[in-house]
Amino acid sequence: MQREEQQIIDWASMVDEFIVVLDEKGAIVRSNQPWIEFCNAHSLTESLWKSGTDYFRYFKEQEKDGEATVLHQILQKEKTEHKQIYPFVLTDGEIQWFSLKVRPIMKKNQQIQGAFISLKPIHLHTIQPITAESVLESMTDGFYLLDEDLRFNYMNEIGESLLGCKREDVIGKGFLEVFPEAEGSTFHTEYVRALEFKVITEIEEFYEPLNMWIWKKVYPLKRGGLALYFQDISKRKIAEEKLKEYAYYDYLTKLPNRRLLVKKASMLKKAKQKFSVFYINLDNLKFVNALYNYGAGDKVMKKVAERLSTVVTDKCMVGRMDGDEFVVLYQPGTGERLEHLASRLVQLFEEPFLLDDFQAVTIQVSIGIACHPFDTSQLEQLASYSEIAMYEAKKLPGSTYEFFRPKMKVEHDRRSKIEEGLAGNLDELGFEFAVQPQINGETEALVGVEILSRWNHPELGMISPIEFIKVAEQTGAIASMTKFLLEKVFVKMKEWQQNYGCHVRTAINMTPSLLANPAFFDNFFKMIEESGISPTQIEIEITEQAELTYSETTLNYLYLCKEKGISIAIDDFGTGFSMISYLTHFPINKIKIDKYFIQKIGESAKSEALLRSLIHLGKSMECELLAEGVERPEEAEFLKAHECTVFQGYLYDKPMKPEDFEKKYLTSLSPIGRNK
Ligand code: C2E
Ligand code: CA
Ligand code: CA
């Protein structure tokens, strides 16, 4: 046994207080004689004093969680002392009051060695008021005594300050006389119950007149009346409320969050209620953030939330999912139409939102609506259907809403399959390419080819590149897809060189996102180098886009292409909207006039004049010219007459399988071909 412990025990045997010494794990090391005698005299369990007893276990068995917490805090050095007026319920149900102190026992090195508990019996009725008072006044809890008629007998100083009254004003007065608003409150009814049934109770309630959350413990006294301890627990309660808020409400808009929406929907489902999900997406918030700043986006979100809140009723909950997505859960009453709410929601966005600096921002919304249980009784599906309908609404201009229709799901599933495929093994999934020759109409010679992707999907069959390229561009899969395509094409080009001595210029289509992707370009250049193919044999086709999307990086990479000898062609020329600035800013080698203008040949003098000026423009920039989509001989004649002589179109060839292209164009070039 440690010396410190022994000293305490020696001392403990000399005092008439009750002393229990615990080790650092909470087991009794020693109890002093007066405590053992007290326990025996009241037939109390040995566990209270016997050496070796684990006090934590005893507290647990007795469900004395508060006591266990205090002891734990002392043994963990979280508290250096605990003092309390402690009611000890004896075996006969009577209460013995103790002045309780718990302190840690420290080793010399400041490590915890154990705890020291002292219990001094106090007799509230018999001891001199001054002694009782000194104890009660030193407490950190508020305290008062009520007699059997609930009249104040005593109140300590803390009690005065917590309740905002003076004891001289309350002593002798009835509880309800001092706190008339407490009539019928839990406090009052529990006091009456504690008096009548002699039970200890604990109450936690908000008391409006004091604007305070109060915790109270009520002890009935042996000779009638009640002793009450209380604390102001407002801070804790507010923290708890805040936590609840964080858990169920969105921090920015203060609207219910996803969790609360899901909870509400589950409740409605369980109650077999009909309800509809309105999935609301703000179309152009990204724009607001880019144009102004993130603060502006937040302000707009708050204002959007305010406007949406105007539709809230007890049958209509508005919440924020994430980002720029809101959800309305609506239980329509009989005769109430969903369209009505939908158009009301749309109307909410007609007026622009004013920012602080009086900038007006117009926000458009797309709303998708799905109904439970009409569309589905599964909540996850319901959410996904409303989202699918929202995407349908997004396809329409302006603020709009769409109800979910099963057909939408078919389209959605198709898109998901395409997305999945693009992220998967393209080789196994039937991803191929076609080759379309570019012909000099005067000499009929092959001057180039364009590579066009083809996808024969195992489930969906042939998918148009227009469809899957759009998806790839949106999901970001375009980079890996194009890399895969380039690998295949380079292998083919190498074969053509080796087998047929063919060095035809081969064009690959690029999208805006690829042009702004340095990693893609770096890899592209590396692949060209590794393939051993001359860069002059490679052409990239870029489309006219709003100049905005072409950054400094894009321009630098395009110049790098030019430096290396890679040819740059403008695809679909004439359909974009910044032609002139393209031609002057970009290092262009070739212009591919869009088939729209070619098809107009012979149709109207006006469109022919336009085509002539396009050709003229190209010539004046010293660019190569190519006409796309040439189908009819008269188109070819017209073009030739106006000095545009290179054609790509069905008149010569449709896009063809590489093998067919080899057979038609290359075998005649090869030594083997010539020998045939
Ligand atoms: P594009 O680059 O303008 O390609 C020409 C499109 O016109 C091809 O459609 C081709 O089959 C079609 N075409 C060729 N000659 C004629 C003709 O005489 N008459 C008519 N009516 N059409 C003709 P396709 O193969 O369906 O490709 C559509 C678009 O998909 C392409 O338009 C291109 O923008 C894109 N695309 C195809 N493959 C790729 C690819 O590997 N990467 C990228 N980024 N886009 C691709
Ligand atoms: Ca093209
Ligand atoms: Ca084109």
Side-chain angles (χ1 to χ4, degrees):
M1 189 180 294
Q2 301 277 333
R3 209 167 61 86
E4 296 87 343
E5 214 169 278
Q6 187 56 53
Q7 275 178 337
I8 292 165
I9 290 165
D10 290 347
W11 169 76
S13 59
M14 289 158 42
V15 295
D16 57 359
E17 271 176 61
F18 303 150
I19 309 279
V20 183
V21 177
L22 305 178
D23 69 11
E24 77 275 16
K25 293 208 173 82
I28 300 178
V29 176
R30 187 76 166 260
S31 299
N32 74 350
Q33 203 51 36
W35 176 236
I36 299 173
E37 280 165 16
F38 175 86
C39 291
N40 286 336
H42 290 89
S43 318
L44 296 171
T45 164
E46 279 184 352
S47 305
L48 284 166
W49 57 266
K50 200 164 183 163
S51 300
T53 309
D54 180 350
Y55 251 30
F56 281 116
R57 200 153 103 208
Y58 169 73
F59 289 150
K60 199 166 174 200
E61 283 163 6
Q62 300 290 313
E63 295 179 357
K64 291 178 186 284
D65 295 344
E67 285 82 341
T69 309
V70 167
L71 184 57
H72 181 81
Q73 286 170 335
I74 294 282
L75 290 175
Q76 292 300 312
K77 281 211 224 164
E78 286 165 18
K79 225 176 174 181
T80 50
E81 187 176 43
H82 176 80
K83 274 195 207 165
Q84 192 187 345
I85 299 296
Y86 186 80
F88 194 92
V89 185
L90 300 174
T91 17
D92 55 7
E94 297 220 352
I95 292 169
Q96 171 63 54
W97 293 83
F98 286 114
S99 162
L100 165 80
K101 270 188 211 159
V102 189
R103 285 204 307 267
I105 306 169
M106 307 291 243
K107 288 186 206 161
K108 282 229 173 59
N109 62 5
Q110 292 302 306
Q111 295 281 358
I112 288 281
Q113 164 142 11
F116 174 84
I117 305 175
S118 80
L119 296 145
K120 207 183 212 166
I122 48 172
H123 307 282
L124 286 176
H125 306 282
T126 53
I127 46 172
Q128 293 295 318
I130 195 74
T131 324
E133 206 169 325
S134 65
V135 174
L136 294 169
E137 291 303 323
S138 66
M139 289 174 14
T140 50
D141 286 350
F143 175 83
Y144 58 74
L145 288 170
L146 298 174
D147 69 11
E148 51 270 45
D149 298 320
L150 296 184
R151 273 194 304 264
F152 284 95
N153 261 351
Y154 176 77
M155 182 181 287
N156 72 354
E157 209 180 317
I158 299 274
E160 284 183 308
S161 75
L162 286 178
L163 300 177
C165 53
K166 285 258 151 263
R167 44 188 138 187
E168 35 299 11
D169 299 338
V170 302
I171 288 177
K173 285 195 185 151
F175 172 68
L176 287 182
E177 202 179 329
V178 179
F179 300 108
E181 292 91 346
E183 174 139 30
S185 70
T186 315
F187 293 130
H188 186 214
T189 52
E190 282 299 295
Y191 290 1
V192 173
R193 195 171 74 92
L195 267 182
E196 190 177 345
F197 300 104
K198 292 244 179 270
V199 285
I200 303 173
T201 68
E202 212 174 310
I203 312 160
E204 218 176 83
E205 201 171 58
F206 184 71
Y207 187 60
E208 179 88 49
L210 292 173
N211 190 29
M212 188 190 288
W213 273 95
I214 303 177
W215 166 87
K216 265 187 195 162
K217 194 141 187 181
V218 186
Y219 295 99
L221 299 171
K222 202 166 128 195
R223 307 204 178 159
L226 300 171
L228 298 106
Y229 297 88
F230 55 98
Q231 285 171 6
D232 174 4
I233 53 160
S234 306
K235 267 197 195 135
R236 192 191 88 208
K237 276 285 169 187
I238 289 166
E240 278 174 12
E241 290 296 307
K242 271 256 151 58
L243 266 183
K244 248 190 233 161
E245 244 172 60
Y246 284 137
Y248 285 116
Y249 291 87
D250 173 49
Y251 71 98
L252 179 68
T253 60
K254 308 284 179 270
L255 289 179
N257 64 9
R258 176 194 290 269
R259 275 184 72 186
L260 191 50
L261 288 164
V262 170
K263 197 170 161 185
K264 173 84 182 178
S266 315
M267 271 163 52
L268 293 174
K269 178 189 150 107
K270 232 185 225 153
K272 296 201 166 25
Q273 293 278 335
K274 274 188 193 170
F275 67 97
S276 299
V277 175
F278 290 62
Y279 199 103
I280 305 173
N281 182 274
L282 310 185
D283 290 345
N284 45 353
L285 195 78
K286 277 194 199 91
F287 217 59
V288 173
N289 277 328
L291 225 53
Y292 305 95
N293 51 49
Y294 269 93
D298 280 359
K299 271 183 207 131
V300 171
M301 287 300 277
K302 279 191 198 162
K303 294 193 174 190
V304 165
E306 271 167 33
R307 283 197 198 171
L308 286 174
S309 298
T310 57
V311 305
V312 171
T313 64
D314 58 340
K315 299 277 183 205
C316 191
M317 181 193 246
V318 176
R320 181 179 177 207
M321 288 298 270
D322 329 91
D324 54 2
E325 272 155 14
F326 294 85
V327 159
V328 178
L329 289 183
Y330 179 46
Q331 294 169 262
T334 36
E336 279 179 324
R337 286 160 46 86
L338 298 176
E339 280 95 346
H340 183 73
L341 177 61
S343 51
R344 236 184 103 193
L345 288 169
V346 165
Q347 269 166 22
L348 290 177
F349 291 86
E350 276 171 6
E351 293 278 311
F353 292 83
L354 272 188
L355 297 179
D356 291 344
D357 47 6
F358 299 106
Q359 299 253 35
V361 182
T362 305
I363 298 284
Q364 290 179 348
V365 284
S366 302
I367 305 174
I369 307 158
C371 306
H372 173 274
F374 179 77
D375 291 317
T376 170
S377 58
Q378 299 301 312
L379 289 186
E380 259 173 44
Q381 256 176 14
L382 190 68
S384 131
Y385 288 2
S386 63
E387 198 179 345
I388 290 172
M390 183 277 287
Y391 279 114
E392 269 324 290
K394 230 183 216 317
K395 290 183 187 162
L396 304 168
S399 289
T400 42
Y401 62 89
E402 278 280 353
F403 284 88
F404 172 78
R405 275 169 279 124
K407 188 173 149 261
M408 291 177 185
K409 186 169 155 20
V410 176
E411 283 164 19
H412 175 81
D413 288 350
R414 178 181 170 88
R415 190 190 148 105
S416 303
K417 275 185 194 135
I418 293 176
E419 271 180 34
E420 251 167 59
L422 286 168
N425 184 335
L426 292 173
D427 222 357
E428 284 173 10
L429 288 170
F431 199 87
E432 289 289 339
F433 65 89
V435 181
Q436 190 175 28
Q438 299 174 339
I439 305 292
N440 182 325
E442 312 252 80
T443 63
E444 306 256 311
L446 176 77
V447 293
V449 294
E450 178 178 1
I451 301 295
L452 294 158
S453 293
R454 292 289 174 265
W455 191 1
N456 193 358
H457 190 280
E459 243 181 279
L460 305 173
M462 282 309 277
I463 312 171
S464 158
I466 297 178
E467 186 178 3
F468 66 77
I469 297 291
K470 194 166 126 203
V471 177
E473 180 75 348
Q474 282 166 355
T475 60
I478 190 77
S480 58
M481 190 214 92
T482 308
K483 179 169 176 258
F484 172 84
L485 179 71
L486 286 168
E487 274 163 10
K488 274 185 107 112
V489 169
F490 286 174
V491 169
K492 220 0 121 211
M493 286 171 77
K494 209 68 209 164
E495 259 177 54
W496 293 341
Q497 278 181 20
Q498 283 164 358
N499 298 350
Y500 310 104
C502 162
H503 291 87
V504 70
R505 190 163 64 183
T506 306
I508 308 267
N509 291 285
M510 296 287 162
T511 64
S513 84
L514 289 176
L515 295 180
N517 182 343
F520 173 79
F521 267 107
D522 292 342
N523 183 62
F524 178 47
F525 295 148
K526 200 170 127 220
M527 282 171 73
I528 296 173
E529 225 175 276
E530 283 170 3
S531 70
I533 294 166
S534 162
T536 54
Q537 233 190 291
I538 297 165
E539 183 163 86
I540 56 173
E541 295 193 5
I542 64 178
T543 47
E544 290 183 277
Q545 297 283 327
E547 218 174 355
L548 203 94
T549 59
Y550 287 94
S551 62
E552 190 89 355
T553 330
T554 303
L555 207 56
N556 288 342
Y557 274 105
L558 289 179
Y559 273 103
L560 207 55
C561 285
K562 191 189 166 89
E563 242 170 62
K564 289 179 187 285
I566 298 168
S567 165
I568 298 167
I570 293 279
D571 203 357
D572 308 336
F573 185 74
T575 56
F577 42 87
S578 53
M579 303 187 300
I580 308 291
S581 62
Y582 260 72
L583 295 176
T584 50
H585 278 91
F586 283 26
I588 309 294
N589 299 86
K590 184 174 183 175
I591 284 171
K592 297 182 79 179
I593 300 174
D594 193 71
K595 53 179 169 283
Y596 171 85
F597 301 98
I598 312 303
Q599 280 156 3
K600 297 259 168 186
I601 292 173
E603 230 178 60
S604 79
K606 203 172 147 200
S607 49
E608 280 178 7
L610 185 62
L611 177 58
R612 272 201 306 274
S613 63
L614 282 180
I615 295 172
H616 185 72
L617 187 65
K619 290 252 176 245
S620 67
M621 305 296 300
E622 298 182 339
C623 284
E624 290 174 39
L625 272 180
L626 178 147
E628 279 191 303
V630 180
E631 293 182 0
R632 293 170 292 142
E634 68 243 51
E635 291 167 2
E637 289 316 313
F638 179 94
L639 289 161
K640 275 192 247 173
H642 292 91
E643 290 178 58
C644 173
T645 51
V646 179
F647 310 132
Q648 181 184 337
Y650 295 171
L651 179 63
Y652 297 90
D653 277 301
K654 290 196 168 176
M656 53 216 303
K657 286 195 169 139
E659 309 87 88
D660 295 338
F661 168 75
E662 281 163 35
K663 256 184 229 145
K664 180 163 176 191
Y665 287 92
L666 304 187
T667 43
S668 57
L669 289 177
S670 73
I672 313 159
R674 246 178 265 138
N675 288 344
K676 261 190 184 168

